Amino acid sequence: MRIKIVFLLLLSFTLFVFAGNEPDVDTVKTYPFDPVTITATRTEVVKSSITPTVSVIPQAVLAANTHKSILTLVGQQVPGVFVQERGILGFGVTTSSAGQMSIRGVGGNPNTQILMMIDGRPQFAGIFGHPLADSYLSASAERVEVVRGPASVLYGSNAMGGVINIITHSTQKPGISGEVTLSYGSYNSQHLAGKFGYSEDGWNTTASFTRAHTDGHRPFSEFNANSGYVKATREIDEKFKVTIDGSLTGFTSYDPGTIYAPKTKNNFIDINRGYAGVSVDNDHGISKGSTRFVYNFGHHKIFDGSDWVSDDYNAIFSAYQTITLISDNAITTGFDFNKFGGNAKSKTRDFGAPSAYEYAIYADVRHTLFNQLVLNGGLRFNRNEIFGSIVIPQFGAVYRLDNETSVRGSAAKGYRSPTLAEMYLFAPTITLKPENMWNYEIGVSHIFANRVSTELVGFLGEGSNLIRVAAFKPGGRVNTGSFVHRGVELSASAFISSELQINSNYSFIDPGKDTRSIPKHKVFIGGDYKYDIATFSLSILHVEGLFGSDNSKDRLPNYTNIGAKVSAQILPRILVHLSIENLLDEKYHTMYGYPMPGTTISVGAKAGL
């Protein structure tokens, strides 16, 4: 299998060498080599001027893969990120669920160490403290930004391992606009999505919906989901705008069990999750920021013999402001408050209604010297009702050698407070302490011949005080865990011509004993070639060194998953496509005992207004 890795890397770099020919001037202007990002700083900053490692999945990639989950795309497109899957659609909930995410080997089980956000607003269940992967089906996504490494200074608990921020669509075209996409494929898999917008006289509104269904490739693996989103923005004047938005997602997912212990159709979950939010953004030139409120809520029913029912919430208020008194300096200060809780019961026990609150103040400073050296430092003071106070620092620097090359380094601390479930549910453990880690990294970015953008990053992560299941207390937790993760990440994008584009990434992670769902090697290569009205796409994902359990137990087969797609613009506003996944019918698992489907086919169309 190592031969496959070498072959894929050589193929990737051979194409990049080919791309080194002198480019067409108009072509170069088309491609954003240095995209603007907001997640790592809370304000718009070009990627080359920030010290954390950030990946951006643009709208074009999301639009070309509307039949896939957003998290599936993140797992492919971003180095160092891996997402468990168990079927065509649907991740599920409870101990046998897929959808576990890891960034550089940090994620938790479930994903309490990675923060999911929508437009910078945290998304997680108030009791369990983790996101639900099946909630992110909305057609409203404009792009996705991923911070690889701790982001706790700006975002607090749960951002210990990193952040995945879904940026929603805003209507740009005056008047009414929209599009509808649909697809149908193997195992009666169906996907229907629509996105509509209106923009006029300072108003900007967007509404979207998504419907997904599959019978599943195994008995009793059906999945159904419906998601809706609406956003309205009003520009009060040149300095202020107000946004109100909300979403609601409902899904039903059946767990077929492992192939070693299959389950029946009576084992399923019925989940409803949503949020409502309002924000007031201001821009005074030298000072800009936002005041935001969001209320997340959920209602969960789990039918696995426990007859679990729970309701949860978290109410989050945040305010931040960035001041730029001089052109080379930016100071961001902010305040966060979060009240979270809920209630839960099973057929044998009522767990009550635990709740807690926390608040924080933070500051982040960026300063540029001689238009080449960017210095960054941040500090957060966080106060939790249960665990008391903690101070979180981070610092780093970027040195731009020239317009094509930059070198950066950073050190950042991350932390995660224990969830209410870990403390009060099942076997209560009220003495738990917050987890913490330090991440150190150095990276270099370079653009070759205005056509190939590359980034190489090396990192070292050290965590301690991690929360683990107590062997002597079933269902209980203790602070006993620690880890040392090392790794290398490489990403490259080549714009060979206006017809041919290629992007790839490779990551190597040495996770020590934390081997569950953390591949040692991951390679992705994707390419699009346009000819007349048709676009041909090919993707290759190769994974090695994957285990179903920690301590290198339950080794899973290495695999190479190849996907192909052809789409054609048959009319000015109608696009049709044919997609094939797992082209070579590879037999593989991403989680122990749950085989992925063989070759699957789907056809679809997109119609625009």
Side-chain angles (χ1 to χ4, degrees):
M1 288 299 178
R2 293 183 184 278
I3 295 176
K4 286 186 178 181
I5 290 182
V6 174
F7 170 74
L8 292 171
L9 289 174
L10 287 176
L11 172 63
S12 178
F13 281 101
T14 298
L15 291 168
F16 296 152
V17 170
F18 170 74
N21 297 329
E22 204 56 36
D24 178 85
V25 174
D26 292 334
T27 300
V28 172
K29 292 180 181 178
T30 304
Y31 303 120
F33 287 111
D34 197 10
V36 170
T37 177
I38 61 174
T39 306
T41 59
R42 284 199 181 270
T43 56
E44 293 185 348
V45 179
V46 292
K47 185 173 176 287
S48 63
S49 296
I50 58 177
T51 55
T53 303
V54 177
S55 297
V56 179
I57 301 178
Q59 193 275 337
V61 173
L62 298 176
N65 296 275
T66 54
H67 59 296
K68 294 183 179 180
S69 162
I70 288 177
L71 294 181
T72 297
L73 289 175
V74 170
Q76 291 179 345
Q77 300 278 333
V78 181
V81 177
F82 187 75
V83 179
Q84 277 186 342
E85 297 183 87
R86 70 183 191 192
I88 297 176
L89 290 171
F91 297 104
V93 182
T94 74
T95 56
S96 57
S97 67
Q100 179 178 331
M101 301 168 279
S102 65
I103 298 178
R104 296 176 173 176
V106 180
N109 184 25
N111 294 297
T112 50
Q113 297 168 346
I114 296 175
L115 181 63
M116 287 292 304
M117 298 195 299
I118 296 178
D119 289 333
R121 296 166 173 164
Q123 302 282 312
F124 58 86
I127 298 176
F128 289 96
H130 65 81
L132 276 73
D134 286 317
S135 299
Y136 308 105
L137 298 171
S138 176
S140 62
E142 179 72 22
R143 71 181 189 277
V144 181
E145 298 180 0
V146 182
V147 179
R148 289 142 50 196
S152 292
V153 165
L154 291 182
Y155 300 109
S157 181
N158 294 60
M160 174 173 153
V163 170
I164 300 174
N165 188 15
I166 299 171
I167 312 297
T168 61
H169 171 76
S170 293
T171 304
Q172 303 298 327
K173 181 181 177 181
I176 299 174
S177 60
E179 64 181 32
V180 175
T181 63
L182 57 89
S183 65
Y184 181 83
S186 303
Y187 305 104
N188 192 30
S189 298
Q190 307 163 22
H191 185 275
L192 173 64
K195 178 171 59 180
F196 305 95
Y198 175 78
S199 180
E200 198 74 40
D201 296 331
W203 280 99
N204 189 308
T205 60
T206 299
S208 66
F209 69 89
T210 306
R211 160 70 178 166
H213 167 82
T214 184
D215 290 347
H217 69 292
R218 295 179 57 200
F220 312 122
S221 60
E222 180 182 340
F223 175 78
N224 294 282
N226 294 281
S227 179
Y229 173 79
V230 62
K231 177 172 69 173
T233 299
R234 172 64 175 172
E235 293 185 3
I236 305 301
D237 52 33
E238 294 181 352
K239 297 180 179 180
F240 292 94
K241 68 177 181 180
V242 178
T243 299
I244 300 174
D245 67 337
S247 75
L248 185 63
T249 300
F251 59 91
T252 303
S253 179
Y254 292 85
D255 178 12
T258 69
I259 55 176
Y260 312 109
K263 298 179 181 180
T264 69
K265 195 170 183 177
N266 292 326
N267 190 75
F268 69 99
I269 60 170
D270 187 5
I271 305 291
N272 288 284
R273 294 212 62 82
Y275 80 89
V278 58
S279 65
V280 180
D281 300 329
N282 68 84
D283 189 343
H284 301 275
I286 64 171
S287 175
K288 60 182 179 180
S290 182
T291 300
R292 301 177 174 181
F293 173 79
V294 62
Y295 185 82
N296 297 303
F297 56 91
H299 179 66
H300 302 180
K301 294 181 179 179
I302 300 175
F303 301 95
D304 59 357
S306 66
D307 292 342
W308 173 277
V309 179
S310 66
D311 293 274
D312 67 84
Y313 68 90
N314 57 65
I316 302 171
F317 172 84
S318 66
Y320 62 88
Q321 200 74 16
T322 299
I323 300 175
T324 307
L325 297 176
I326 57 177
S327 60
D328 295 329
N329 183 274
I331 302 174
T332 299
T333 58
F335 171 80
D336 294 336
F337 178 86
N338 184 10
K339 173 74 173 182
F340 51 96
N343 59 79
K345 63 180 179 179
S346 68
K347 65 181 180 181
T348 60
R349 182 178 175 187
D350 189 332
F351 294 94
S355 66
Y357 69 84
E358 64 181 1
Y359 62 87
I361 56 173
Y362 61 87
D364 182 82
V365 180
R366 294 192 321 276
H367 188 77
T368 303
L369 296 172
F370 314 114
N371 202 34
Q372 286 184 296
L373 178 63
V374 181
L375 301 176
N376 170 244
L379 196 66
R380 181 185 187 92
F381 171 82
N382 200 95
R383 177 74 179 180
N384 186 286
E385 177 185 6
I386 301 171
F387 310 109
S389 304
I390 187 171
V391 176
I392 305 296
Q394 74 173 33
F395 49 89
V398 180
Y399 184 73
R400 295 192 288 254
L401 281 71
D402 50 43
N403 291 333
E404 289 78 32
T405 308
S406 63
V407 179
R408 59 183 175 78
S410 66
K413 185 176 181 178
Y415 80 100
R416 180 185 76 86
S417 298
T419 66
L420 295 176
E422 290 169 332
M423 295 193 63
Y424 299 117
L425 274 59
F426 312 120
T429 314
I430 61 175
T431 58
L432 291 176
K433 299 177 181 179
E435 300 177 327
N436 63 82
M437 70 168 289
W438 273 96
N439 180 77
Y440 311 94
E441 63 183 78
I442 186 168
V444 58
S445 302
H446 185 72
I447 298 174
F448 294 92
N450 286 333
R451 289 201 184 197
V452 182
S453 175
T454 62
E455 182 179 56
L456 176 65
V457 180
F459 67 87
L460 170 66
E462 298 178 329
S464 61
N465 225 26
L466 301 187
I467 298 172
R468 302 296 194 207
V469 175
F472 57 86
K473 187 178 183 181
R477 303 290 192 274
V478 291
N479 290 102
T480 61
S482 63
F483 69 79
V484 177
H485 296 170
R486 302 177 178 87
V488 177
E489 300 163 342
L490 172 65
S491 57
S493 298
F495 301 100
I496 296 174
S497 68
S498 58
E499 293 80 25
L500 179 60
Q501 303 174 20
I502 297 171
N503 67 86
S504 66
N505 65 76
Y506 166 75
S507 54
F508 163 80
I509 300 177
D510 176 8
K513 61 184 179 181
D514 301 317
T515 55
R516 183 178 186 270
S517 302
I518 302 172
K520 192 170 186 178
H521 302 278
K522 190 189 78 166
V523 183
F524 174 78
I525 301 175
D528 298 301
Y529 177 71
K530 296 181 180 179
Y531 180 77
D532 198 16
I533 66 170
T535 299
F536 303 90
S537 302
L538 185 70
S539 64
I540 305 171
L541 176 65
H542 178 76
V543 171
E544 276 195 20
L546 185 63
F547 294 88
S549 303
D550 287 335
N551 299 305
S552 300
K553 295 180 180 179
D554 299 324
R555 185 181 182 105
L556 302 177
N558 302 333
Y559 64 90
T560 302
N561 190 346
I562 299 177
K565 178 181 178 181
V566 58
S567 57
Q569 194 80 45
I570 59 174
L571 292 173
R573 296 183 181 276
I574 297 180
L575 180 77
V576 297
H577 78 263
L578 168 67
S579 299
I580 304 176
E581 299 295 334
N582 197 0
L583 190 64
L584 301 182
D585 199 28
E586 189 94 343
K587 311 300 181 185
Y588 72 101
H589 303 61
T590 69
M591 59 185 295
Y592 184 72
Y594 285 83
M596 290 293 288
T599 302
T600 58
I601 300 174
S602 70
V603 295
K606 177 190 296 185
L609 297 180

